[in-house]
PDB file of all heavy atoms in Angstrom:
ATOM      1  N   ARG B1421      -7.501 -10.926  29.892  1.00  0.00           N
ATOM      2  CA  ARG B1421      -8.253 -11.364  31.109  1.00  0.00           C
ATOM      3  C   ARG B1421      -9.652 -11.691  30.778  1.00  0.00           C
ATOM      4  O   ARG B1421     -10.237 -12.610  31.341  1.00  0.00           O
ATOM      5  CB  ARG B1421      -8.106 -10.297  32.201  1.00  0.00           C
ATOM      6  CG  ARG B1421      -6.839 -10.443  33.023  1.00  0.00           C
ATOM      7  CD  ARG B1421      -6.818  -9.491  34.209  1.00  0.00           C
ATOM      8  NE  ARG B1421      -5.714  -8.541  34.041  1.00  0.00           N
ATOM      9  CZ  ARG B1421      -5.831  -7.216  33.976  1.00  0.00           C
ATOM     10  NH1 ARG B1421      -7.017  -6.659  34.158  1.00  0.00           N
ATOM     11  NH2 ARG B1421      -4.769  -6.478  33.843  1.00  0.00           N
ATOM     12  N   ILE B1422     -10.259 -10.890  29.868  1.00  0.00           N
ATOM     13  CA  ILE B1422     -11.601 -11.175  29.489  1.00  0.00           C
ATOM     14  C   ILE B1422     -11.697 -12.547  28.807  1.00  0.00           C
ATOM     15  O   ILE B1422     -12.597 -13.389  29.139  1.00  0.00           O
ATOM     16  CB  ILE B1422     -12.183 -10.096  28.534  1.00  0.00           C
ATOM     17  CG1 ILE B1422     -12.258  -8.761  29.275  1.00  0.00           C
ATOM     18  CG2 ILE B1422     -13.512 -10.486  27.936  1.00  0.00           C
ATOM     19  CD1 ILE B1422     -12.522  -7.558  28.378  1.00  0.00           C
ATOM     20  N   ILE B1423     -10.726 -12.780  27.919  1.00  0.00           N
ATOM     21  CA  ILE B1423     -10.788 -14.070  27.199  1.00  0.00           C
ATOM     22  C   ILE B1423     -10.619 -15.275  28.180  1.00  0.00           C
ATOM     23  O   ILE B1423     -11.300 -16.265  28.061  1.00  0.00           O
ATOM     24  CB  ILE B1423      -9.621 -14.098  26.141  1.00  0.00           C
ATOM     25  CG1 ILE B1423      -9.986 -13.134  24.994  1.00  0.00           C
ATOM     26  CG2 ILE B1423      -9.447 -15.524  25.556  1.00  0.00           C
ATOM     27  CD1 ILE B1423      -8.924 -12.886  23.948  1.00  0.00           C
ATOM     28  N   SER B1424      -9.764 -15.103  29.204  1.00  0.00           N
ATOM     29  CA  SER B1424      -9.577 -16.226  30.086  1.00  0.00           C
ATOM     30  C   SER B1424     -10.513 -16.163  31.307  1.00  0.00           C
ATOM     31  O   SER B1424     -10.319 -16.828  32.291  1.00  0.00           O
ATOM     32  CB  SER B1424      -8.121 -16.276  30.585  1.00  0.00           C
ATOM     33  OG  SER B1424      -7.768 -15.021  31.203  1.00  0.00           O
ATOM     34  N   ASP B1425     -11.566 -15.343  31.175  1.00  0.00           N
ATOM     35  CA  ASP B1425     -12.660 -15.293  32.127  1.00  0.00           C
ATOM     36  C   ASP B1425     -12.210 -14.895  33.506  1.00  0.00           C
ATOM     37  O   ASP B1425     -12.733 -15.429  34.504  1.00  0.00           O
ATOM     38  CB  ASP B1425     -13.437 -16.605  32.084  1.00  0.00           C
ATOM     39  CG  ASP B1425     -14.837 -16.455  32.712  1.00  0.00           C
ATOM     40  OD1 ASP B1425     -15.248 -15.304  32.928  1.00  0.00           O
ATOM     41  OD2 ASP B1425     -15.482 -17.473  32.972  1.00  0.00           O
ATOM     42  N   GLU B1426     -11.298 -13.955  33.639  1.00  0.00           N
ATOM     43  CA  GLU B1426     -10.957 -13.430  34.967  1.00  0.00           C
ATOM     44  C   GLU B1426     -11.752 -12.164  35.191  1.00  0.00           C
ATOM     45  O   GLU B1426     -11.592 -11.220  34.416  1.00  0.00           O
ATOM     46  CB  GLU B1426      -9.449 -13.059  35.037  1.00  0.00           C
ATOM     47  CG  GLU B1426      -8.472 -14.198  35.065  1.00  0.00           C
ATOM     48  CD  GLU B1426      -7.038 -13.689  34.895  1.00  0.00           C
ATOM     49  OE1 GLU B1426      -6.685 -12.752  35.583  1.00  0.00           O
ATOM     50  OE2 GLU B1426      -6.361 -14.191  34.025  1.00  0.00           O
ATOM     51  N   GLN B1427     -12.550 -12.119  36.176  1.00  0.00           N
ATOM     52  CA  GLN B1427     -13.427 -10.949  36.527  1.00  0.00           C
ATOM     53  C   GLN B1427     -13.963 -10.328  35.238  1.00  0.00           C
ATOM     54  O   GLN B1427     -13.755  -9.157  34.964  1.00  0.00           O
ATOM     55  CB  GLN B1427     -12.622  -9.964  37.306  1.00  0.00           C
ATOM     56  CG  GLN B1427     -12.229 -10.476  38.688  1.00  0.00           C
ATOM     57  CD  GLN B1427     -11.216  -9.551  39.297  1.00  0.00           C
ATOM     58  OE1 GLN B1427     -10.150  -9.326  38.792  1.00  0.00           O
ATOM     59  NE2 GLN B1427     -11.601  -9.036  40.479  1.00  0.00           N
ATOM     60  N   ARG B1428     -14.652 -11.119  34.489  1.00  0.00           N
ATOM     61  CA  ARG B1428     -15.039 -10.690  33.158  1.00  0.00           C
ATOM     62  C   ARG B1428     -15.834  -9.412  33.096  1.00  0.00           C
ATOM     63  O   ARG B1428     -15.517  -8.473  32.377  1.00  0.00           O
ATOM     64  CB  ARG B1428     -15.820 -11.794  32.429  1.00  0.00           C
ATOM     65  CG  ARG B1428     -15.987 -11.597  30.974  1.00  0.00           C
ATOM     66  CD  ARG B1428     -16.528 -12.811  30.307  1.00  0.00           C
ATOM     67  NE  ARG B1428     -15.507 -13.614  29.675  1.00  0.00           N
ATOM     68  CZ  ARG B1428     -15.652 -14.884  29.309  1.00  0.00           C
ATOM     69  NH1 ARG B1428     -16.790 -15.459  29.545  1.00  0.00           N
ATOM     70  NH2 ARG B1428     -14.668 -15.557  28.733  1.00  0.00           N
ATOM     71  N   ALA B1429     -16.859  -9.321  33.920  1.00  0.00           N
ATOM     72  CA  ALA B1429     -17.720  -8.118  33.859  1.00  0.00           C
ATOM     73  C   ALA B1429     -16.935  -6.857  34.164  1.00  0.00           C
ATOM     74  O   ALA B1429     -17.033  -5.879  33.446  1.00  0.00           O
ATOM     75  CB  ALA B1429     -18.864  -8.298  34.885  1.00  0.00           C
ATOM     76  N   GLU B1430     -16.114  -6.902  35.225  1.00  0.00           N
ATOM     77  CA  GLU B1430     -15.327  -5.723  35.588  1.00  0.00           C
ATOM     78  C   GLU B1430     -14.358  -5.355  34.455  1.00  0.00           C
ATOM     79  O   GLU B1430     -14.196  -4.185  34.127  1.00  0.00           O
ATOM     80  CB  GLU B1430     -14.492  -5.972  36.848  1.00  0.00           C
ATOM     81  CG  GLU B1430     -15.262  -6.091  38.127  1.00  0.00           C
ATOM     82  CD  GLU B1430     -15.768  -7.535  38.395  1.00  0.00           C
ATOM     83  OE1 GLU B1430     -15.928  -8.305  37.369  1.00  0.00           O
ATOM     84  OE2 GLU B1430     -16.043  -7.860  39.551  1.00  0.00           O
ATOM     85  N   ASN B1431     -13.763  -6.369  33.883  1.00  0.00           N
ATOM     86  CA  ASN B1431     -12.781  -6.088  32.817  1.00  0.00           C
ATOM     87  C   ASN B1431     -13.430  -5.568  31.565  1.00  0.00           C
ATOM     88  O   ASN B1431     -12.865  -4.749  30.818  1.00  0.00           O
ATOM     89  CB  ASN B1431     -11.937  -7.306  32.556  1.00  0.00           C
ATOM     90  CG  ASN B1431     -10.776  -7.405  33.536  1.00  0.00           C
ATOM     91  OD1 ASN B1431     -10.035  -6.460  33.701  1.00  0.00           O
ATOM     92  ND2 ASN B1431     -10.719  -8.511  34.270  1.00  0.00           N
ATOM     93  N   LEU B1432     -14.662  -6.007  31.290  1.00  0.00           N
ATOM     94  CA  LEU B1432     -15.390  -5.475  30.111  1.00  0.00           C
ATOM     95  C   LEU B1432     -15.669  -3.985  30.311  1.00  0.00           C
ATOM     96  O   LEU B1432     -15.489  -3.179  29.404  1.00  0.00           O
ATOM     97  CB  LEU B1432     -16.711  -6.229  29.845  1.00  0.00           C
ATOM     98  CG  LEU B1432     -16.501  -7.600  29.148  1.00  0.00           C
ATOM     99  CD1 LEU B1432     -17.782  -8.401  29.221  1.00  0.00           C
ATOM    100  CD2 LEU B1432     -16.078  -7.400  27.676  1.00  0.00           C
ATOM    101  N   THR B1433     -16.072  -3.616  31.522  1.00  0.00           N
ATOM    102  CA  THR B1433     -16.291  -2.208  31.815  1.00  0.00           C
ATOM    103  C   THR B1433     -14.953  -1.418  31.660  1.00  0.00           C
ATOM    104  O   THR B1433     -14.927  -0.325  31.077  1.00  0.00           O
ATOM    105  CB  THR B1433     -16.820  -2.078  33.246  1.00  0.00           C
ATOM    106  OG1 THR B1433     -17.967  -2.900  33.398  1.00  0.00           O
ATOM    107  CG2 THR B1433     -17.282  -0.622  33.532  1.00  0.00           C
ATOM    108  N   LEU B1434     -13.908  -2.016  32.226  1.00  0.00           N
ATOM    109  CA  LEU B1434     -12.590  -1.394  32.178  1.00  0.00           C
ATOM    110  C   LEU B1434     -12.196  -1.137  30.726  1.00  0.00           C
ATOM    111  O   LEU B1434     -11.651  -0.093  30.410  1.00  0.00           O
ATOM    112  CB  LEU B1434     -11.593  -2.269  32.886  1.00  0.00           C
ATOM    113  CG  LEU B1434     -10.246  -1.695  33.198  1.00  0.00           C
ATOM    114  CD1 LEU B1434     -10.343  -0.448  33.995  1.00  0.00           C
ATOM    115  CD2 LEU B1434      -9.330  -2.750  33.857  1.00  0.00           C
ATOM    116  N   LEU B1435     -12.468  -2.115  29.911  1.00  0.00           N
ATOM    117  CA  LEU B1435     -12.075  -2.009  28.508  1.00  0.00           C
ATOM    118  C   LEU B1435     -12.741  -0.834  27.792  1.00  0.00           C
ATOM    119  O   LEU B1435     -12.197  -0.096  27.072  1.00  0.00           O
ATOM    120  CB  LEU B1435     -12.314  -3.313  27.743  1.00  0.00           C
ATOM    121  CG  LEU B1435     -11.889  -3.369  26.254  1.00  0.00           C
ATOM    122  CD1 LEU B1435     -10.427  -3.066  26.068  1.00  0.00           C
ATOM    123  CD2 LEU B1435     -12.187  -4.789  25.673  1.00  0.00           C
ATOM    124  N   ARG B1436     -14.090  -0.741  28.098  1.00  0.00           N
ATOM    125  CA  ARG B1436     -14.850   0.374  27.493  1.00  0.00           C
ATOM    126  C   ARG B1436     -14.234   1.747  27.988  1.00  0.00           C
ATOM    127  O   ARG B1436     -14.132   2.633  27.188  1.00  0.00           O
ATOM    128  CB  ARG B1436     -16.336   0.292  27.949  1.00  0.00           C
ATOM    129  CG  ARG B1436     -17.046  -0.883  27.372  1.00  0.00           C
ATOM    130  CD  ARG B1436     -18.037  -0.415  26.296  1.00  0.00           C
ATOM    131  NE  ARG B1436     -18.784  -1.494  25.758  1.00  0.00           N
ATOM    132  CZ  ARG B1436     -19.322  -1.540  24.557  1.00  0.00           C
ATOM    133  NH1 ARG B1436     -19.159  -0.462  23.760  1.00  0.00           N
ATOM    134  NH2 ARG B1436     -20.008  -2.504  24.077  1.00  0.00           N
ATOM    135  N   GLU B1437     -13.928   1.803  29.283  1.00  0.00           N
ATOM    136  CA  GLU B1437     -13.380   3.044  29.825  1.00  0.00           C
ATOM    137  C   GLU B1437     -11.995   3.357  29.150  1.00  0.00           C
ATOM    138  O   GLU B1437     -11.717   4.514  28.822  1.00  0.00           O
ATOM    139  CB  GLU B1437     -13.190   2.969  31.297  1.00  0.00           C
ATOM    140  CG  GLU B1437     -14.519   3.038  32.070  1.00  0.00           C
ATOM    141  CD  GLU B1437     -14.428   2.655  33.522  1.00  0.00           C
ATOM    142  OE1 GLU B1437     -13.260   2.418  34.011  1.00  0.00           O
ATOM    143  OE2 GLU B1437     -15.515   2.574  34.168  1.00  0.00           O
ATOM    144  N   LEU B1438     -11.237   2.319  28.984  1.00  0.00           N
ATOM    145  CA  LEU B1438      -9.941   2.483  28.392  1.00  0.00           C
ATOM    146  C   LEU B1438     -10.070   3.027  26.934  1.00  0.00           C
ATOM    147  O   LEU B1438      -9.312   3.918  26.472  1.00  0.00           O
ATOM    148  CB  LEU B1438      -9.220   1.106  28.349  1.00  0.00           C
ATOM    149  CG  LEU B1438      -7.757   1.073  27.983  1.00  0.00           C
ATOM    150  CD1 LEU B1438      -6.965   1.914  28.977  1.00  0.00           C
ATOM    151  CD2 LEU B1438      -7.313  -0.396  28.025  1.00  0.00           C
ATOM    152  N   CYS B1439     -11.065   2.468  26.230  1.00  0.00           N
ATOM    153  CA  CYS B1439     -11.336   2.959  24.881  1.00  0.00           C
ATOM    154  C   CYS B1439     -11.660   4.440  24.851  1.00  0.00           C
ATOM    155  O   CYS B1439     -11.143   5.216  24.025  1.00  0.00           O
ATOM    156  CB  CYS B1439     -12.511   2.171  24.227  1.00  0.00           C
ATOM    157  SG  CYS B1439     -12.008   0.539  23.680  1.00  0.00           S
ATOM    158  N   ASP B1440     -12.502   4.866  25.830  1.00  0.00           N
ATOM    159  CA  ASP B1440     -12.825   6.293  25.922  1.00  0.00           C
ATOM    160  C   ASP B1440     -11.601   7.140  26.212  1.00  0.00           C
ATOM    161  O   ASP B1440     -11.369   8.172  25.607  1.00  0.00           O
ATOM    162  CB  ASP B1440     -13.851   6.536  27.049  1.00  0.00           C
ATOM    163  CG  ASP B1440     -15.206   5.914  26.735  1.00  0.00           C
ATOM    164  OD1 ASP B1440     -15.420   5.599  25.561  1.00  0.00           O
ATOM    165  OD2 ASP B1440     -16.007   5.744  27.638  1.00  0.00           O
ATOM    166  N   THR B1441     -10.747   6.660  27.146  1.00  0.00           N
ATOM    167  CA  THR B1441      -9.530   7.407  27.426  1.00  0.00           C
ATOM    168  C   THR B1441      -8.644   7.517  26.233  1.00  0.00           C
ATOM    169  O   THR B1441      -8.083   8.608  25.940  1.00  0.00           O
ATOM    170  CB  THR B1441      -8.742   6.666  28.554  1.00  0.00           C
ATOM    171  OG1 THR B1441      -9.627   6.417  29.647  1.00  0.00           O
ATOM    172  CG2 THR B1441      -7.554   7.449  29.040  1.00  0.00           C
ATOM    173  N   MET B1442      -8.511   6.444  25.471  1.00  0.00           N
ATOM    174  CA  MET B1442      -7.663   6.499  24.286  1.00  0.00           C
ATOM    175  C   MET B1442      -8.246   7.456  23.249  1.00  0.00           C
ATOM    176  O   MET B1442      -7.524   8.263  22.620  1.00  0.00           O
ATOM    177  CB  MET B1442      -7.463   5.109  23.684  1.00  0.00           C
ATOM    178  CG  MET B1442      -6.535   4.252  24.505  1.00  0.00           C
ATOM    179  SD  MET B1442      -6.433   2.530  23.883  1.00  0.00           S
ATOM    180  CE  MET B1442      -5.431   2.736  22.377  1.00  0.00           C
ATOM    181  N   GLU B1443      -9.547   7.324  23.085  1.00  0.00           N
ATOM    182  CA  GLU B1443     -10.212   8.173  22.036  1.00  0.00           C
ATOM    183  C   GLU B1443     -10.027   9.640  22.341  1.00  0.00           C
ATOM    184  O   GLU B1443      -9.658  10.453  21.456  1.00  0.00           O
ATOM    185  CB  GLU B1443     -11.669   7.845  21.921  1.00  0.00           C
ATOM    186  CG  GLU B1443     -12.326   8.723  20.840  1.00  0.00           C
ATOM    187  CD  GLU B1443     -13.781   8.314  20.467  1.00  0.00           C
ATOM    188  OE1 GLU B1443     -14.263   7.310  21.040  1.00  0.00           O
ATOM    189  OE2 GLU B1443     -14.408   9.058  19.682  1.00  0.00           O
ATOM    190  N   TYR B1444     -10.270  10.026  23.583  1.00  0.00           N
ATOM    191  CA  TYR B1444     -10.264  11.496  23.882  1.00  0.00           C
ATOM    192  C   TYR B1444      -8.902  11.996  24.272  1.00  0.00           C
ATOM    193  O   TYR B1444      -8.690  13.174  24.250  1.00  0.00           O
ATOM    194  CB  TYR B1444     -11.328  11.751  24.996  1.00  0.00           C
ATOM    195  CG  TYR B1444     -12.708  11.359  24.483  1.00  0.00           C
ATOM    196  CD1 TYR B1444     -13.439  10.355  25.127  1.00  0.00           C
ATOM    197  CD2 TYR B1444     -13.244  11.949  23.372  1.00  0.00           C
ATOM    198  CE1 TYR B1444     -14.675   9.989  24.636  1.00  0.00           C
ATOM    199  CE2 TYR B1444     -14.458  11.577  22.830  1.00  0.00           C
ATOM    200  CZ  TYR B1444     -15.165  10.574  23.501  1.00  0.00           C
ATOM    201  OH  TYR B1444     -16.357  10.209  23.004  1.00  0.00           O
ATOM    202  N   GLY B1445      -7.955  11.149  24.634  1.00  0.00           N
ATOM    203  CA  GLY B1445      -6.681  11.648  25.113  1.00  0.00           C
ATOM    204  C   GLY B1445      -5.518  11.455  24.147  1.00  0.00           C
ATOM    205  O   GLY B1445      -4.348  11.607  24.528  1.00  0.00           O
ATOM    206  N   SER B1446      -5.826  11.058  22.911  1.00  0.00           N
ATOM    207  CA  SER B1446      -4.734  10.876  21.976  1.00  0.00           C
ATOM    208  C   SER B1446      -4.612  12.019  20.932  1.00  0.00           C
ATOM    209  O   SER B1446      -5.659  12.587  20.557  1.00  0.00           O
ATOM    210  CB  SER B1446      -4.936   9.525  21.223  1.00  0.00           C
ATOM    211  OG  SER B1446      -4.932   8.465  22.132  1.00  0.00           O
ATOM    212  N   LEU B1447      -3.387  12.215  20.515  1.00  0.00           N
ATOM    213  CA  LEU B1447      -3.178  13.349  19.597  1.00  0.00           C
ATOM    214  C   LEU B1447      -3.610  12.979  18.160  1.00  0.00           C
ATOM    215  O   LEU B1447      -4.089  13.855  17.407  1.00  0.00           O
ATOM    216  CB  LEU B1447      -1.670  13.674  19.618  1.00  0.00           C
ATOM    217  CG  LEU B1447      -1.201  14.843  18.709  1.00  0.00           C
ATOM    218  CD1 LEU B1447      -1.834  16.129  19.129  1.00  0.00           C
ATOM    219  CD2 LEU B1447       0.354  14.980  18.899  1.00  0.00           C
ATOM    220  N   CYS B1448      -3.445  11.743  17.741  1.00  0.00           N
ATOM    221  CA  CYS B1448      -3.802  11.402  16.388  1.00  0.00           C
ATOM    222  C   CYS B1448      -4.691  10.174  16.360  1.00  0.00           C
ATOM    223  O   CYS B1448      -5.001   9.545  17.403  1.00  0.00           O
ATOM    224  CB  CYS B1448      -2.538  11.177  15.521  1.00  0.00           C
ATOM    225  SG  CYS B1448      -1.837   9.507  15.626  1.00  0.00           S
ATOM    226  N   ALA B1449      -5.073   9.787  15.164  1.00  0.00           N
ATOM    227  CA  ALA B1449      -6.032   8.694  15.018  1.00  0.00           C
ATOM    228  C   ALA B1449      -5.466   7.281  15.399  1.00  0.00           C
ATOM    229  O   ALA B1449      -6.258   6.357  15.620  1.00  0.00           O
ATOM    230  CB  ALA B1449      -6.561   8.629  13.587  1.00  0.00           C
ATOM    231  N   MET B1450      -4.191   7.184  15.527  1.00  0.00           N
ATOM    232  CA  MET B1450      -3.638   5.889  15.944  1.00  0.00           C
ATOM    233  C   MET B1450      -4.209   5.479  17.268  1.00  0.00           C
ATOM    234  O   MET B1450      -4.892   4.475  17.420  1.00  0.00           O
ATOM    235  CB  MET B1450      -2.105   5.956  16.041  1.00  0.00           C
ATOM    236  CG  MET B1450      -1.399   4.667  16.436  1.00  0.00           C
ATOM    237  SD  MET B1450      -1.202   3.553  15.042  1.00  0.00           S
ATOM    238  CE  MET B1450      -2.039   2.109  15.656  1.00  0.00           C
ATOM    239  N   GLY B1451      -3.962   6.330  18.301  1.00  0.00           N
ATOM    240  CA  GLY B1451      -4.544   6.052  19.640  1.00  0.00           C
ATOM    241  C   GLY B1451      -6.045   6.422  19.599  1.00  0.00           C
ATOM    242  O   GLY B1451      -6.823   5.781  20.304  1.00  0.00           O
ATOM    243  N   GLY B1452      -6.380   7.434  18.868  1.00  0.00           N
ATOM    244  CA  GLY B1452      -7.744   7.925  18.862  1.00  0.00           C
ATOM    245  C   GLY B1452      -8.787   7.034  18.227  1.00  0.00           C
ATOM    246  O   GLY B1452      -9.988   7.040  18.575  1.00  0.00           O
ATOM    247  N   MET B1453      -8.369   6.206  17.280  1.00  0.00           N
ATOM    248  CA  MET B1453      -9.315   5.343  16.597  1.00  0.00           C
ATOM    249  C   MET B1453      -9.123   3.837  16.816  1.00  0.00           C
ATOM    250  O   MET B1453      -9.961   3.049  16.445  1.00  0.00           O
ATOM    251  CB  MET B1453      -9.387   5.688  15.121  1.00  0.00           C
ATOM    252  CG  MET B1453     -10.029   7.071  14.849  1.00  0.00           C
ATOM    253  SD  MET B1453     -10.105   7.515  13.167  1.00  0.00           S
ATOM    254  CE  MET B1453     -11.318   6.334  12.521  1.00  0.00           C
ATOM    255  N   THR B1454      -8.022   3.475  17.452  1.00  0.00           N
ATOM    256  CA  THR B1454      -7.876   2.009  17.776  1.00  0.00           C
ATOM    257  C   THR B1454      -9.120   1.553  18.578  1.00  0.00           C
ATOM    258  O   THR B1454      -9.566   0.426  18.417  1.00  0.00           O
ATOM    259  CB  THR B1454      -6.545   1.814  18.587  1.00  0.00           C
ATOM    260  OG1 THR B1454      -5.478   1.972  17.696  1.00  0.00           O
ATOM    261  CG2 THR B1454      -6.514   0.392  19.173  1.00  0.00           C
ATOM    262  N   PRO B1455      -9.756   2.395  19.398  1.00  0.00           N
ATOM    263  CA  PRO B1455     -11.019   1.985  20.018  1.00  0.00           C
ATOM    264  C   PRO B1455     -12.119   1.591  19.039  1.00  0.00           C
ATOM    265  O   PRO B1455     -13.006   0.839  19.394  1.00  0.00           O
ATOM    266  CB  PRO B1455     -11.422   3.210  20.828  1.00  0.00           C
ATOM    267  CG  PRO B1455     -10.141   3.927  21.147  1.00  0.00           C
ATOM    268  CD  PRO B1455      -9.272   3.727  19.903  1.00  0.00           C
ATOM    269  N   PHE B1456     -12.091   2.071  17.803  1.00  0.00           N
ATOM    270  CA  PHE B1456     -13.210   1.772  16.865  1.00  0.00           C
ATOM    271  C   PHE B1456     -13.330   0.266  16.604  1.00  0.00           C
ATOM    272  O   PHE B1456     -14.437  -0.289  16.777  1.00  0.00           O
ATOM    273  CB  PHE B1456     -13.047   2.513  15.568  1.00  0.00           C
ATOM    274  CG  PHE B1456     -13.423   4.002  15.636  1.00  0.00           C
ATOM    275  CD1 PHE B1456     -13.167   4.774  16.780  1.00  0.00           C
ATOM    276  CD2 PHE B1456     -14.035   4.623  14.576  1.00  0.00           C
ATOM    277  CE1 PHE B1456     -13.491   6.073  16.857  1.00  0.00           C
ATOM    278  CE2 PHE B1456     -14.397   5.966  14.631  1.00  0.00           C
ATOM    279  CZ  PHE B1456     -14.096   6.735  15.804  1.00  0.00           C
ATOM    280  N   PRO B1457     -12.284  -0.381  16.147  1.00  0.00           N
ATOM    281  CA  PRO B1457     -12.414  -1.826  15.955  1.00  0.00           C
ATOM    282  C   PRO B1457     -12.737  -2.570  17.261  1.00  0.00           C
ATOM    283  O   PRO B1457     -13.515  -3.550  17.285  1.00  0.00           O
ATOM    284  CB  PRO B1457     -11.097  -2.285  15.362  1.00  0.00           C
ATOM    285  CG  PRO B1457     -10.134  -1.167  15.608  1.00  0.00           C
ATOM    286  CD  PRO B1457     -10.964   0.076  15.623  1.00  0.00           C
ATOM    287  N   VAL B1458     -12.176  -2.091  18.359  1.00  0.00           N
ATOM    288  CA  VAL B1458     -12.373  -2.783  19.636  1.00  0.00           C
ATOM    289  C   VAL B1458     -13.825  -2.663  20.074  1.00  0.00           C
ATOM    290  O   VAL B1458     -14.509  -3.642  20.375  1.00  0.00           O
ATOM    291  CB  VAL B1458     -11.434  -2.187  20.717  1.00  0.00           C
ATOM    292  CG1 VAL B1458     -11.679  -2.860  22.093  1.00  0.00           C
ATOM    293  CG2 VAL B1458      -9.989  -2.370  20.326  1.00  0.00           C
TER     294      VAL B1458
END
Side-chain angles (χ1 to χ4, degrees):
Chain B
R1421 275 186 244 123
I1422 294 169
I1423 291 173
S1424 59
D1425 199 10
E1426 287 171 51
Q1427 293 170 301
R1428 191 170 263 164
E1430 291 86 336
N1431 278 305
L1432 281 168
T1433 310
L1434 191 58
L1435 182 58
R1436 293 254 182 205
E1437 287 168 5
L1438 191 60
C1439 283
D1440 293 344
T1441 308
M1442 287 176 72
E1443 178 172 358
Y1444 300 116
S1446 298
L1447 182 59
C1448 83
M1450 180 82 237
M1453 290 180 69
T1454 290
F1456 284 35
V1458 177

